[in-house]
Amino acid sequence: MEFEPDRPRWQQIADVLRMRITAGEYPPKYLVSEVRLVQEFGVARDTIRKAVRQLREEGLIYTVPNLGSFVSPVGEAQPPEG
């Protein structure tokens, strides 16, 4: 991916991930791997964490401590029960 010089990289990555989620490329409960995204985009892990944090604030992703971040089920901003 070629980054735009006038916008922070984490915002551009968040845009890509948002598009993948809304297009169904990342289905509900899909593990959003920070390690894989670092390799894919060639950025620091903190950059990926900022993008994931933004999507979590939007309700598109939820994070389970010690397990990772997952795509939220459609229409839900919180992780499913059980």
Side-chain angles (χ1 to χ4, degrees):
M1 172 176 176
E2 206 167 309
F3 292 103
E4 300 170 23
D6 59 338
R7 289 182 60 217
R9 289 184 177 189
W10 70 265
Q11 287 180 348
Q12 295 175 62
I13 293 168
D15 290 346
V16 170
L17 298 178
R18 188 182 300 106
M19 181 187 66
R20 290 177 182 175
I21 291 168
T22 58
E25 188 176 334
Y26 289 178
K29 299 183 183 177
Y30 177 84
L31 173 65
V32 181
S33 168
E34 289 182 2
V35 173
R36 185 183 54 76
L37 294 173
V38 163
Q39 293 171 347
E40 177 182 347
F41 290 104
V43 296
R45 195 160 187 173
D46 189 52
T47 303
I48 297 299
R49 287 183 176 158
K50 286 179 183 178
V52 169
R53 184 180 314 122
Q54 174 63 39
L55 297 177
R56 187 171 44 246
E57 289 174 7
E58 294 174 19
L60 293 173
I61 288 177
Y62 65 93
T63 300
V64 178
N66 300 317
L67 287 180
S69 296
F70 302 88
V71 174
S72 296
V74 178
E76 292 185 32
Q78 300 297 319
E81 295 291 325

